Amino acid sequence: MTHPHLRLSTPAHDRSGLRRKDDAWLDERWSDPRTRVLVVSGTRVRPRDGAIEWTSPEQAPDGVRVLLGERDDDTWFALIADGGPAQAEQGEWFPLRGLLPALAGGSTDVAPLVFHALGLAEWHWATRFCPRCGGALVPAAAGHELHCAQCGKPQFPRTDPAVIMLVTSGEPGSDDERCLLGRQSVWPEGRFSTLAGFCEPGETLEDAVRREVAEEVGVRVGAVTYFGNQPWPLPASLMLGMIGRAESTTIEVDRDEIEEAAWFTRAEMREQAEAGTLVLPGGVSISRSLIEHWYGGPLPGSW
């Protein structure tokens, strides 16, 4: 079975990390008319006809030039411009979450490049001053570093690890086996997903799963195994998919992050998904992959 979330992670590009400080090579690639550039206004991109639009270096505006890398014998850049165009043309420029329909449709092949570009754009947008001395930061290494103009301390992009987990109970593979899904209060009735949360300092992934599930729904988790991962630059996360085995089944929701949680057998999940009373996460999310991996195949309906 091919997991749906992998559609947004392939084909990967060569990030050309050793070229990021080679100014002569960067200038040569930038002058090549075959080079492709994604223009980002602040942290937003303007799609055209439902697809991600790439332009040539000659047509790109002024801004921070960010090397994404090489793929298919071409070089790919992002150009991070100020947020003026996105503010002036609201409704035409979208943050990453608003681009997911285009990426899940006909632009899956460029999804890793777009994730790379917008992850860095979000970092540039949020990281304006040196945390050591408060000095101004200057881009370096083709946009992958920020150096303090006052004290010289470099800053690097960060990625926050987050666990996303499917918790199961019962004999594995049996008709009575169940999985645990939850719903946030801001979601429409019937929309459920796997539980998730950020790892805390000094915490293993397995303990993060146990803590988050206990905090959110009061269920005790024992064994935890790794499933897979998905880059999720919204704005800077790596979703680490895990499968946990429940040691208790009584649900006590926290009423803070989770409003409702429930156990579903495979038969209940299929029946409710077909009826539309259970709406599962979108087909390109690792949450969907976790659910369908446990279920054993595709399910109808999605957000």
Side-chain angles (χ1 to χ4, degrees):
M1 170 180 182
T2 301
H3 299 305
H5 74 281
L6 297 177
R7 291 168 53 198
L8 292 187
S9 300
T10 53
H13 52 288
D14 179 353
R15 294 179 174 235
S16 307
L18 297 179
R19 295 289 196 177
R20 291 172 184 168
K21 297 182 180 180
D22 187 341
D23 291 336
W25 183 87
L26 290 168
D27 289 341
E28 177 190 346
R29 294 293 86 208
W30 189 257
S31 65
D32 188 339
R34 290 179 51 188
T35 291
R36 299 292 84 198
V37 181
L38 179 67
V39 177
V40 184
S41 175
T43 60
R44 294 173 177 254
V45 169
R46 181 173 56 189
R48 294 285 191 186
D49 300 322
I52 304 301
E53 181 182 43
W54 297 81
T55 189
S56 66
E58 184 179 11
Q59 295 174 313
D62 293 333
V64 177
R65 187 176 68 182
V66 174
L67 173 66
L68 302 178
E70 297 174 278
R71 201 181 75 189
D72 301 330
D73 297 323
D74 291 328
T75 308
W76 303 69
F77 285 86
L79 193 291
I80 305 176
D82 64 45
Q87 293 177 350
E89 300 173 309
Q90 295 187 22
E92 295 188 27
W93 296 77
F94 295 91
L96 181 52
R97 192 175 296 277
L99 297 173
L100 290 179
L103 293 174
S107 299
T108 53
D109 60 324
V110 297
L113 291 158
V114 175
F115 275 19
H116 187 176
L118 287 183
L120 284 172
E122 290 278 1
W123 176 61
H124 277 258
W125 188 259
T127 312
R128 303 296 185 90
F129 302 100
C130 175
R132 172 186 283 175
C133 71
L137 295 173
V138 179
H144 289 74
E145 296 179 19
L146 293 171
H147 291 183
C148 179
Q150 188 164 296
C151 73
K153 181 177 174 61
Q155 300 296 320
F156 301 92
R158 60 173 297 163
T159 298
D160 299 318
V163 289
I164 182 165
M165 47 274 182
L166 186 81
V167 178
T168 65
S169 174
E171 182 66 25
S174 70
D175 291 341
D176 294 331
E177 187 185 19
R178 302 179 295 173
C179 78
L180 179 64
L181 302 178
R183 187 176 71 82
Q184 296 183 17
S185 60
V186 295
W187 294 350
E189 193 73 25
R191 179 182 290 186
F192 280 80
S193 183
T194 50
L195 303 179
F198 286 101
C199 298
E200 294 188 347
E203 186 175 47
T204 67
L205 300 178
E206 293 82 0
D207 284 339
V209 169
R210 298 182 184 108
R211 174 183 54 78
E212 286 287 348
V213 175
E215 289 175 356
E216 293 183 352
V217 296
V219 171
R220 188 172 66 255
V221 172
V224 177
T225 57
Y226 174 76
F227 171 77
N229 68 85
Q230 181 176 35
W232 202 244
L234 297 166
S237 299
L238 177 66
M239 303 298 287
L240 298 153
M242 315 292 283
I243 298 175
R245 293 292 297 170
E247 294 183 341
S248 67
T249 57
T250 301
I251 294 173
E252 296 180 8
V253 295
D254 61 2
R255 299 292 178 184
D256 180 19
E257 295 188 49
I258 302 298
E259 182 177 77
E260 182 182 1
W263 293 99
F264 297 88
T265 66
R266 291 177 177 85
E268 290 169 340
M269 181 175 288
R270 181 182 65 253
E271 179 183 357
Q272 294 181 38
E274 289 175 347
T277 55
L278 173 63
V279 184
L280 298 170
V284 292
S285 69
I286 194 170
S287 180
R288 182 76 175 210
S289 294
L290 279 163
I291 293 170
E292 292 190 344
H293 170 75
W294 172 80
Y295 176 76
L299 284 159
S302 69
W303 299 2

